[in-house]
Amino acid sequence: MSSRSSAPDPLLYKEEIGFEADPFDEGGRLDSFLARRMRWRSRTSIQKLVQDGLVSITRQGTRRTVTKPAAAIVAGDAIAMTLPKPKRDIDFGPEGPPPDPDLPILFEDRWLVAVDKPPNVP
């Protein structure tokens, strides 16, 4: 396989996803609508994204940012959500990250890396 590329991975940056409301969604809450469409996120995290101004609704050609999770949905609304870049929760301490060991890469693609590493190497 090829060696690691220096090009940035688009999966690590902000991404906008969109949904369209149908007549079944008419009059429902925005956070409930998004929770049904995005089952991998909790409703609480969706409410936080709405409150942070990362959700917009396009209705009759006009796009507006929505900050209230209880905003009513109308059939035909185009709802767009900007997903934030994932946070890195690793804390290496004051010395910083450990040096990269020279490990042989067995396989690498956009989603997966297989490395031949010795025991006790994180």
Side-chain angles (χ1 to χ4, degrees):
M1 215 66 289
S2 66
S3 64
R4 292 184 185 172
S5 170
S6 62
D9 187 346
L11 294 176
L12 297 178
Y13 295 94
K14 291 184 178 182
E15 173 184 3
E16 185 173 284
I17 59 174
F19 306 98
E20 186 170 334
D22 56 34
F24 171 78
D25 301 309
E26 180 89 32
R29 290 175 55 112
L30 175 62
D31 57 348
S32 295
F33 170 84
L34 290 171
R36 282 193 309 275
R37 298 299 193 285
M38 301 171 59
R39 295 183 186 266
W40 64 92
R41 285 201 174 263
S42 70
R43 187 167 167 186
T44 302
S45 72
I46 290 171
Q47 289 172 343
K48 173 86 171 95
L49 293 172
V50 173
Q51 291 166 346
D52 289 346
L54 296 174
V55 177
S56 63
I57 295 178
T58 303
R59 184 178 294 161
Q60 297 175 350
T62 304
R63 184 174 177 153
R64 63 183 176 91
T65 300
V66 181
T67 57
K68 296 187 180 193
I73 299 295
V74 174
D77 282 353
I79 293 106
M81 174 182 278
T82 302
L83 297 174
K85 187 168 59 169
K87 293 181 182 174
R88 304 292 183 221
D89 294 329
I90 300 172
D91 182 18
F92 293 109
E95 64 275 355
D100 285 338
D102 190 20
L103 301 175
I105 297 174
L106 303 175
F107 175 82
E108 179 178 8
D109 68 11
R110 187 174 180 180
W111 299 276
L112 178 72
V113 175
V115 179
D116 183 18
K117 71 171 193 67
N120 302 320
V121 173

